[in-house]
Amino acid sequence: APAFDYPPPDAADPLLDYGIRARPLLAQWLPPKPYAVLLSATSRDDKLWADTNWLALAADLHAHGIAAVLPGGSAAERERAARLAAARRWASRKRISSSIRCPPGAASIAGAAIVIGVDTGLTHLAAALGRPVIAIFAGSEPGLTGVLAATPAINLGGRGAPPGAAEVWWAARHMLG
């Protein structure tokens, strides 16, 4: 907005609608109970969140009846998702393309009770789809690239100061009610 000299939209504005819709995916690999999509992959290593944080968050979600779905697009992303899922048998790993043109990716996100992800395009897609979103920042600033949505969306952390798992879980617990 500042680059084009107009005021940024108010994230709480109920008219903030990106016009993107997707029907929730019906797939056998999806958990039958509410699930959270955990977007652990991003374009730069400095934007990643530590595996120990993802595992602690997934454990908290599981303890509250919410399964974790860990997508991965590239080989490295699939390896990370597989490593995290293998550490916890109750996590589900499924490849979801990082392309917005891929209906299963948007559809998987559209059915999530909550989406928690690092600074990546799919986290922004989740906000645009109207899902409750927590965006985790470690290598970038949320003031520049944070999620904006009319639905619940929280940006946590910042360049060189990622939030801890407890802070993210606290926000998720309050968002889920």
Side-chain angles (χ1 to χ4, degrees), residues 32-174:
K33 59 184 175 180
Y35 65 91
V37 173
L38 305 183
L39 300 170
S40 63
T42 188
S43 61
R44 295 189 338 238
D45 286 350
D46 68 330
K47 293 164 71 173
L48 294 172
W49 203 40
D51 285 5
T52 54
N53 287 327
W54 286 117
L55 293 172
L57 176 62
D60 286 331
L61 289 163
H62 178 71
H64 287 81
I66 300 170
V69 175
L70 301 159
S74 71
E77 293 167 0
R78 288 190 305 274
E79 186 278 324
R80 180 181 304 107
R83 184 178 66 242
L84 290 168
R88 299 289 188 250
R89 288 179 295 186
W90 33 261
S92 172
R93 181 186 60 81
K94 176 67 177 173
R95 183 183 183 277
I96 299 176
S97 172
S98 61
S99 169
I100 196 170
R101 296 175 307 215
C102 179
S108 299
I109 290 170
I114 191 168
V115 177
I116 302 170
V118 292
D119 181 16
T120 185
L122 289 176
T123 304
H124 291 274
L125 174 62
L129 288 168
R131 303 314 313 141
V133 174
I134 297 174
I136 298 167
F137 290 84
S140 53
E141 288 299 328
L144 298 174
T145 59
V147 295
L148 292 176
T151 55
I154 299 173
N155 298 299
L156 297 175
R159 185 184 312 273
E167 182 180 359
V168 174
W169 170 240
W170 184 90
R173 190 176 70 238
H174 285 87

